[in-house]
Amino acid sequence: MPVLTLHSAGPGVTVQDLGRPGWTAQGLSRGGAADRLAVLEAAALLHQDSGFAVLEMIGFGGVFSSDQPTRFVLTGAGMQASIDGAAVPPYTTQLLPAGAQLTIGGARHGVFGYLAFAGGILTEPVMDSRATHLTAGLGRALAAGDTLPLGDDPRPDMPPQRLNPPDRCNGGMVRMMTGPQTDLFDEQTLADFLATSFRRSPRGNRQGVRLDHDGASFAAKGGLSVTSDLIVPGDVQLTGDGVPYVLLTECQTIGGYPRIGTVIPADLPRVAQAAPGTALQFTLLDLAAADATAEPDMAVLRRLQQARQPLIRDLHDIADLLGYQLISGVTAGDDLEQD
Amino acid sequence: MPEIMSPLADPAFCPLGVDGVLVRFARALTAEANASASGFCAQIKAAALPGVTELASSLTSVRVGFDPAVTDRQRITAQLRDLLTGLQSADTSPRRLWRIPVAFGPSHAPQLHEAAQLAGLTAEQAVAEITTTMLRVLAIGFAPGQPYLGLMPLHWDIPRQSDLTPHVPRGALVTAVRQLIIFAADTPTGWRQIGQSAFSVWQPDSDTPFLLDAGDGLQFVAVSDDTLRDLQANPDSNGGARCEVLR
């Protein structure tokens, strides 16, 4: 079984998968990757299923090596990466030779970068998941000197595979839906909220991100005495001083601050991946439109598997080879000499 | 002694995420709303509706999570409304009673005087009320295993602070809006710290990681700072907590 060694690590490197659903009633939020799509993208690229575990790197990577050759891929935030000095592109599977040093630097765009290995990370699951849940004290951030067991790469000689990720690291419009407490905000406050251009604050982590803006704060009726109620990731909570936080994967399960609405799951990676200072604005979907965006993880994975492409197309993989106009460009060879 | 409580009849149905319906029995916490939420949650669980992925009850509501590939909001909502018409009165008396030691000395209760004053009490009266009120676990949430306890008498309806206290330790006893919480972990909070226990509500390495259940009875026992220190030094004691099975 290959062993991964961390020779150095940024402050927010953790083992993540798609989390532990089903424990809300006991107060444990699902957790898992802050950008779930990035895990599914890595799974599609490495022919894995949706249950495999990867490394999440907040803002900065580290230096990694494996004692056996294994393919890997980088998804999520764009982080500068190289193997023994040679640059490595993201969203393209690569072979990490045994003993070679993979160096991953700071995020150039986005926040949460993911490093996935072909056999997955095989740490011992706790409550059916390998996800580190920092606020619950499940697992911990990794540090230099740590080693992790990897699964064997089933096909180390497989040609590189690539995907074009949807842009989600540049902020922009974020779709939300109403929730149980939207009506605690009067119409004008909600309209002002939707008309406001926010900036992702430097204050943020796996629990949630704070948003800054110019102008008045957004107060709810009876703000400090609202009865605590159930929360889901994506909820936009306004704290006592009327400052919005978008709650992410490690959010609390119940909270007392009023929530103006819920960012739909499809757009939550866009919030998570907005670097500090990035502009974000909310738009409100009606309930039917919001519900129509729900896409189970397995459906997302299937869609990504279909979008996956070999980096260089092998002729044998082109099923409709005879349909290509392979000779239509053949000429006498003197085109450039003609008028 | 069974407590028979009739459920509230006309809850609100709200969306909570693209895969969830929140059924809310009241906007303000009452014993009736809490019992209705936990009773309805048990009834939904027993009904085993197709496509339901997760159930959680809070102080006054139940969230029903569903798999949009199997069912949809309209169908789930109709099924829940059908179940509501059959909602029965039930014995809501606690199944278990916990007794948990708490120190109320000044170094462990930095905001006891402030909270007591807001409730119109002296600190001594406040401690007496906290330790003689038979509390219930109204919901588990915020953090793993963390109990919302209540209900304290009406004069304890004091709002949260607008500013967060940056650091309140694990095991702290805090209060707001007629409720008490024992913190699962060190955390910033808008609730006021009025005591300290050595009780861990969440033990991830144990076979039973979550100690308390919604509906459990709970009573606090005042202990000296010295006693608390001894309990903190002995993690096997889990803060001196005792659990008695009632029914």
Side-chain angles (χ1 to χ4, degrees):
Chain A
M1 188 180 274
V3 174
L4 181 75
T5 300
L6 281 72
H7 302 282
S8 72
V13 179
T14 55
V15 177
Q16 295 297 343
D17 55 20
L18 294 179
R20 289 173 190 80
W23 297 100
T24 306
Q26 283 77 29
L28 178 62
S29 52
R30 181 180 61 194
D35 180 351
R36 296 167 62 78
L37 180 58
V39 175
L40 293 166
E41 288 167 338
L45 281 163
L46 292 166
H47 296 75
Q48 272 278 6
D49 62 35
S50 59
F52 90 138
V54 305
L55 285 183
E56 179 178 276
M57 306 170 290
I58 307 179
F60 196 87
V63 179
F64 310 86
S65 71
S66 166
D67 64 349
Q68 292 177 38
T70 175
R71 286 171 306 136
F72 71 95
V73 73
L74 291 160
T75 62
M79 290 177 161
Q80 202 147 15
S82 60
I83 297 175
D84 293 340
V88 170
Y91 282 93
T92 309
T93 61
Q94 307 275 324
L95 186 71
L96 181 63
Q101 290 215 328
L102 169 62
T103 302
I104 302 174
R108 286 177 299 183
H109 54 275
V111 175
F112 295 91
Y114 294 86
L115 170 59
F117 295 91
I121 294 170
L122 296 187
T123 46
E124 200 55 44
V126 178
M127 297 162 76
D128 302 325
S129 162
R130 297 185 169 92
T132 301
H133 197 305
L134 294 170
T135 56
L138 290 175
R140 60 171 172 83
L142 300 170
D146 282 336
T147 58
L148 296 170
L150 299 180
D152 288 316
D153 184 346
R155 299 174 68 184
D157 56 347
M158 193 172 182
Q161 307 284 307
R162 65 181 308 279
L163 261 179
N164 282 322
D167 166 48
R168 56 182 183 274
C169 294
N170 294 313
M173 261 319 174
V174 172
R175 294 169 292 175
M176 59 183 264
M177 60 190 288
T178 59
Q181 298 176 332
T182 306
D183 64 357
L184 293 178
F185 298 85
D186 62 36
E187 268 178 47
Q188 190 58 51
T189 305
L190 181 59
D192 291 347
F193 180 85
L194 295 171
T196 298
S197 179
F198 293 97
R199 296 175 305 279
R200 154 77 186 260
S201 155
R203 287 170 66 177
N205 53 29
R206 289 175 42 77
Q207 271 183 284
V209 297
R210 178 184 161 122
L211 303 179
D212 293 330
H213 72 286
D214 303 318
S217 63
F218 304 97
K221 299 167 233 168
L224 293 174
S225 296
V226 171
T227 301
S228 296
D229 210 341
L230 291 156
I231 282 176
V232 294
D235 276 2
V236 184
Q237 163 183 287
L238 288 120
T239 51
D241 39 8
V243 174
Y245 280 77
V246 182
L247 300 174
L248 298 180
T249 181
E250 272 185 21
C251 63
Q252 59 274 40
T253 61
I254 288 181
Y257 288 121
R259 283 160 284 133
I260 199 165
T262 307
V263 174
I264 62 167
D267 284 6
L268 205 48
R270 185 176 290 278
V271 177
Q273 294 289 17
T278 305
L280 291 164
Q281 192 170 346
F282 296 95
T283 180
L284 190 62
L285 296 182
D286 68 38
L287 187 54
D291 282 353
T293 67
E295 192 180 18
D297 290 340
M298 285 313 296
V300 175
L301 182 59
R302 276 194 298 274
R303 178 163 59 72
L304 293 168
Q305 284 164 344
Q306 281 160 11
R308 174 185 67 209
Q309 288 180 354
L311 180 61
I312 301 160
R313 296 189 72 185
D314 187 315
L315 286 184
H316 296 103
D317 292 341
I318 303 176
D320 53 349
L321 184 63
L322 293 178
Y324 281 71
Q325 294 277 347
L326 294 175
I327 57 167
S328 66
V330 176
T331 67
D334 57 354
D335 314 43
L336 298 176
E337 291 160 28
Q338 293 179 0
D339 294 332
Chain B
M1 194 60 184
E3 305 165 0
I4 306 298
M5 208 172 269
S6 302
L8 297 174
D10 191 22
F13 284 71
C14 313
L16 182 50
V18 296
D19 58 356
V21 177
L22 188 87
V23 184
R24 182 175 58 210
F25 287 88
R27 289 210 95 124
L29 174 59
T30 61
E32 292 76 15
N34 183 251
S36 301
S38 60
F40 191 42
C41 189
Q43 199 180 352
I44 302 166
K45 191 174 184 181
L49 301 176
V52 169
T53 53
E54 185 172 26
L55 290 172
S57 65
S58 72
L59 298 171
T60 64
S61 69
V62 184
R63 181 176 184 272
V64 183
F66 61 86
D67 179 352
V70 177
T71 184
D72 59 35
R73 184 179 305 282
Q74 216 178 341
R75 195 180 313 168
I76 281 286
T77 302
Q79 288 167 331
L80 293 174
R81 286 195 189 281
D82 280 351
L83 282 179
L84 262 180
T85 58
L87 195 53
Q88 301 287 321
S89 299
D91 180 359
T92 55
S93 58
R95 293 177 188 280
R96 302 191 296 179
L97 174 62
W98 292 83
R99 289 190 178 81
I100 296 175
V102 173
F104 293 96
S107 59
H108 294 303
Q111 294 170 300
L112 176 62
H113 282 272
E114 184 186 330
Q117 203 167 25
L118 288 165
L121 303 170
T122 65
E124 292 70 25
Q125 289 168 330
V127 170
E129 290 194 0
I130 291 163
T131 52
T132 54
T133 302
M134 179 57 77
L135 297 161
R136 297 291 294 273
V137 177
L138 303 171
I140 300 283
F142 186 83
Q146 184 168 292
Y148 287 78
L149 304 162
L151 279 173
M152 292 295 288
L154 269 174
H155 50 271
W156 284 84
D157 193 8
I158 58 181
R160 300 169 188 83
Q161 310 172 113
S162 56
D163 291 328
L164 295 182
T165 308
H167 178 93
V168 173
R170 183 163 74 119
L173 182 65
V174 299
T175 190
V177 287
R178 296 183 69 193
Q179 295 159 64
L180 299 165
I181 291 176
I182 307 165
F183 272 153
D186 297 1
T187 184
T189 184
W191 293 45
R192 291 176 176 85
Q193 187 185 359
I194 55 167
Q196 179 71 45
S197 77
F199 181 59
S200 295
V201 297
W202 155 239
Q203 300 186 335
D205 298 327
S206 131
D207 292 339
T208 50
F210 306 100
L211 271 76
L212 303 172
D213 286 332
D216 284 352
L218 194 148
Q219 205 161 16
F220 288 114
V221 182
V223 297
S224 68
D225 289 6
D226 286 347
T227 305
L228 181 76
R229 200 172 308 120
D230 292 346
L231 291 169
Q232 284 172 328
N234 177 11
D236 291 343
S237 71
N238 199 10
R242 296 275 174 274
C243 179
E244 183 187 340
V245 177
L246 300 179
R247 67 179 175 97

